[in-house]
Amino acid sequence: MTFIDWATRVSTRFLSDRAFELIVGPAIADYEYEQCSVRSIDAARARLAVLRALAGAAWTDLKADSSTGTLFTLTLIPASYFTFMFALCAPRGIRVFSSTEAAIAFVIAILLLSPIPVIACCWPERGENPKTQIPSSKSQ
Amino acid sequence: MKESRLPSMSVTESLILDLLRARERYGLELVDTSGGRLKRGSIYVTLSRMEAKGFVESWQEERPPGAIGLPRRLYRATDYGLKVHDAYQLLREALALKPAEAR
């Protein structure tokens, strides 16, 4: 699977038609154009630009609809699960951490892990995207 | 009396409209001509927001049949966008004056 195929698949699952058409689509088109052009490019930076466009489009979609509150509430479920598991497995509680940095790292790990199941399972359907009709992308 | 909300325009949006004043451009072209002031990762989000505000309009380029990949998107400043841009320019210049100069 090429990078463009992957970006398109992710967009199909997570983004609205409008967000794809106005944000990710142009980013991918410019990326493909750059790949075909003769000018020297930094491939990593070009890919990063597409990824940032993807993240920006997802954020725009989240701001535009009412699902943000629901997703946040659902995120609290795995967060609570991880915290209670920690409380059960570490009877000494927070004293198990040798330093403040270790405690902060634990909190950050929970904050990073908790949204993953919510995003994977509960991200709202965005409907059919027009990109299913897009001519096949160039292989990267 | 119904209060109308003033349109807002950031410095980045202002810069984009400056670059689009002369002619329509692609997103990547805007980044290249901005001399590093516009970032590739955020330009498309900004352009999308500007389109929602009515500052720019965009369309997909026409391509020959059989062309591979996605068509690129062209952007053009709207009359409304340029009007708001010019008003903000005046406002910024006026606010940049010291009180004594403004008299």
Side-chain angles (χ1 to χ4, degrees), chain A:
Chain A
M1 185 191 292
T2 65
F3 172 70
I4 294 301
D5 291 337
W6 176 84
T8 307
R9 273 197 186 188
V10 171
S11 303
T12 307
R13 170 67 183 86
F14 293 108
L15 301 181
S16 65
D17 295 350
R18 185 169 170 76
F20 180 80
E21 193 183 327
L22 293 181
I23 302 174
V24 183
I28 290 175
D30 280 343
Y31 173 80
E32 288 180 317
Y33 167 80
E34 216 174 22
Q35 297 286 310
C36 297
S37 68
V38 289
R39 69 185 217 171
S40 63
I41 57 155
D42 183 344
R45 281 187 66 187
R47 287 180 182 203
L48 190 65
V50 175
L51 292 179
R52 284 190 63 185
L54 252 170
W59 181 244
T60 304
D61 269 350
L62 272 180
K63 281 198 301 183
D65 66 24
S66 57
S67 56
T68 317
T70 310
L71 287 175
F72 177 75
T73 309
L74 288 170
T75 304
L76 293 177
I77 296 171
S80 306
Y81 171 78
F82 290 133
T83 308
F84 278 113
M85 284 301 285
F86 168 75
L88 283 175
C89 298
R92 283 175 60 218
I94 199 159
R95 281 167 296 176
V96 81
F97 298 116
S98 53
S99 63
T100 314
E101 287 81 12
I104 291 171
F106 173 75
V107 172
I108 290 172
I110 284 185
L111 291 176
L112 290 176
L113 285 173
S114 301
I116 293 173
V118 179
I119 289 170
C121 304
C122 307
W123 192 273
E125 286 297 329
R126 302 292 187 186
E128 283 301 306
N129 278 305
K131 47 199 172 283
T132 48
Q133 302 154 17
I134 290 165
S136 62
S137 300
K138 184 177 78 68
S139 292
Q140 302 303 315

Side-chain angles (χ1 to χ4, degrees), chain B residues 6-18 37-38 42-43 45-47 49-50 53 55 81 84-86 88-89 91-92:
Chain B
L6 285 174
S8 62
M9 182 174 285
S10 67
V11 177
T12 307
E13 290 172 349
S14 213
L15 170 64
I16 289 173
L17 284 169
D18 259 338
R37 285 179 292 170
L38 295 174
S42 56
I43 182 84
V45 177
T46 308
L47 285 166
R49 190 175 60 230
M50 289 175 75
K53 288 180 181 177
F55 294 162
V84 176
H85 169 267
D86 293 343
Y88 262 88
Q89 204 68 21
L91 182 66
R92 286 189 185 113

